[in-house]
Amino acid sequence: MSIPLTDRHDRTHRSLRISIVDKCDLRCTYCMPEDQHFLKREELMTREEIVTIARLFVERYGITKIRLTGGEPLVRPDAVDIVRDLVRLPVKLGLTTNALTLHKHLDGLIDVGLRSLNVSLDTFDAERFRKITRRDGYDVVWANIQEAHRRGLRVKLNMVVMRGVNDDELLRFVELTRDHDIHVRFIEFMPFAGNHWGRERVYTYAEMLGHIGSVHSFEKLDDDPHSTAKAYRVPGWKGTFAVISTVTEPFCGTCDRLRLTAEGRMRNCLFA
Ligand code: SAM
Ligand code: SF4
């Protein structure tokens, strides 16, 4: 029998995000500075430590969902091996990636049994991609996303919507769901240390729905009780879209996520 992990806000944690590395091969302006300081290799959890902790959380504490993240998880040389180990646990396993090197790992990830991928993409414009991520790579990222979808992975696209930066591309992302069974998630821009956040730069949940609704009618879908995303669909279209309203409608009361940092510290909030 597992012991439920219930905190003092009466939230039972069922979902664990494991950052397997803090390094990244992009430098998204909203996420980290160009000169970000990273951990030394020996400070990161080893593959064995990650797998032992994950197993403990699943078998003893009733965790039912694990997502591997970073930094960029695919910069870790043993990322596919970690997926191979975790896919054996009775848990829903996902991975969040920027897809910059996905072409090198896609066969391996599919072979070991990964079925679901969250990919970050904030624009369909190569020059804008370079400005947002401070690196080149739009063409390879977009090709990799399409290939992952073509190969049958369940793909969710995460777009951080920032006023005056990429809010004019919202409809293009929604329109992707017309013919593709892709799940687009619009994330409100969140404040992190040094990311030049300002409330005026947050393109809000209400604004997103207003903007989309001015062109397409859409219907609300049922959300999982612990989901951070509010899901919608344009009737008859294959995919769905959702909004993660972290700033204007926080969902802290129903959040069931725990986080394990790359050096092995537990956090029960992204902002901790
Ligand atoms: N490198 C991987 C990626 O980009 O998908 C995984 C790690 S990244 C930190 C996880 C998610 O956090 C991405 O979808 C990214 O867009 C989102 N994110 C990072 N900084 C954010 C911010 N300031 N506001 C909202 N979402 C943010
Ligand atoms: Fe790297 Fe992901 Fe952060 Fe962008 S959002 S800098 S890809 S960790």
Side-chain angles (χ1 to χ4, degrees):
M1 255 270 288
S2 67
I3 306 163
L5 282 175
T6 304
D7 69 14
R8 63 197 158 105
H9 303 292
D10 211 25
R11 304 178 303 181
T12 299
H13 296 280
R14 299 272 179 219
S15 168
L16 177 65
R17 316 208 129 206
I18 308 178
S19 169
I20 61 172
V21 66
D22 60 334
K23 270 203 189 97
C24 188
D25 42 10
L26 297 180
R27 288 289 184 284
C28 304
T29 51
Y30 53 74
C31 178
M32 59 172 80
E34 178 64 76
D35 59 352
Q36 176 83 359
H37 167 79
F38 296 112
L39 296 167
K40 296 194 196 86
R41 202 178 171 162
E42 61 272 22
E43 292 174 299
L44 297 175
M45 289 184 290
T46 63
R47 170 180 165 194
E48 290 70 27
E49 286 168 337
I50 292 170
V51 175
T52 303
I53 295 171
R55 181 172 299 123
L56 181 76
F57 271 96
V58 173
E59 290 175 356
R60 186 157 326 158
Y61 296 114
I63 288 291
T64 56
K65 263 192 201 175
I66 292 181
R67 174 158 297 283
L68 300 179
T69 179
E72 171 47 43
L74 296 182
V75 303
R76 192 171 159 136
D78 55 0
V80 174
D81 297 319
I82 293 171
V83 172
R84 178 187 293 113
D85 293 339
L86 296 187
V87 103
R88 298 193 182 120
L89 297 175
V91 75
K92 243 172 105 179
L93 183 69
L95 180 118
T96 303
T97 175
N98 61 31
L100 190 64
T101 60
L102 186 58
H103 50 289
K104 297 184 190 161
H105 307 286
L106 190 60
D107 286 344
L109 290 170
I110 292 175
D111 285 352
V112 300
L114 189 76
R115 296 287 166 261
S116 150
L117 208 58
N118 285 12
V119 187
S120 298
L121 183 74
D122 305 309
T123 178
F124 287 106
D125 179 275
E127 178 52 26
R128 193 177 268 184
F129 180 95
R130 199 182 57 74
K131 279 200 185 121
I132 295 174
T133 67
R134 302 195 188 95
R135 299 287 185 274
D136 285 320
Y138 168 75
D139 290 337
V140 65
V141 165
W142 180 228
N144 286 346
I145 292 171
Q146 292 178 92
E147 182 61 9
H149 181 246
R150 201 186 62 73
R151 299 276 301 273
L153 285 177
R154 179 179 157 79
V155 175
K156 288 187 189 168
L157 277 191
N158 290 341
M159 176 201 196
V160 179
V161 190
M162 292 164 286
R163 188 185 312 284
V165 175
N166 60 352
D167 54 312
D168 56 341
E169 293 190 62
L170 208 66
L171 290 175
R172 171 98 195 260
F173 276 82
V174 172
E175 280 155 15
L176 198 64
T177 69
R178 185 195 306 259
D179 300 319
H180 299 93
D181 181 18
I182 281 184
H183 308 277
V184 176
R185 306 191 315 164
F186 301 117
I187 311 177
E188 285 182 345
F189 176 33
M190 290 186 278
F192 293 155
N195 76 352
H196 305 289
W197 184 86
R199 192 160 267 281
E200 71 292 347
R201 298 188 63 199
V202 180
Y203 197 76
T204 66
Y205 173 32
E207 287 174 296
M208 293 183 206
L209 291 192
H211 184 162
I212 298 165
S214 67
V215 178
H216 300 293
S217 53
F218 53 80
E219 61 194 12
K220 180 79 193 73
L221 302 175
D222 291 339
D223 297 315
D224 175 281
H226 299 291
S227 172
T228 55
K230 299 166 184 81
Y232 300 86
R233 181 198 298 272
V234 177
W237 288 16
K238 287 193 175 157
T240 61
F241 70 91
V243 181
I244 304 184
S245 58
T246 347
V247 177
T248 63
E249 282 190 27
F251 31 76
C252 306
T254 55
C255 178
D256 73 340
R257 293 178 181 177
L258 287 172
R259 294 171 184 271
L260 184 60
T261 67
E263 72 269 54
R265 296 178 200 278
M266 289 306 306
R267 301 271 182 260
N268 73 349
C269 179
L270 183 61
F271 290 110

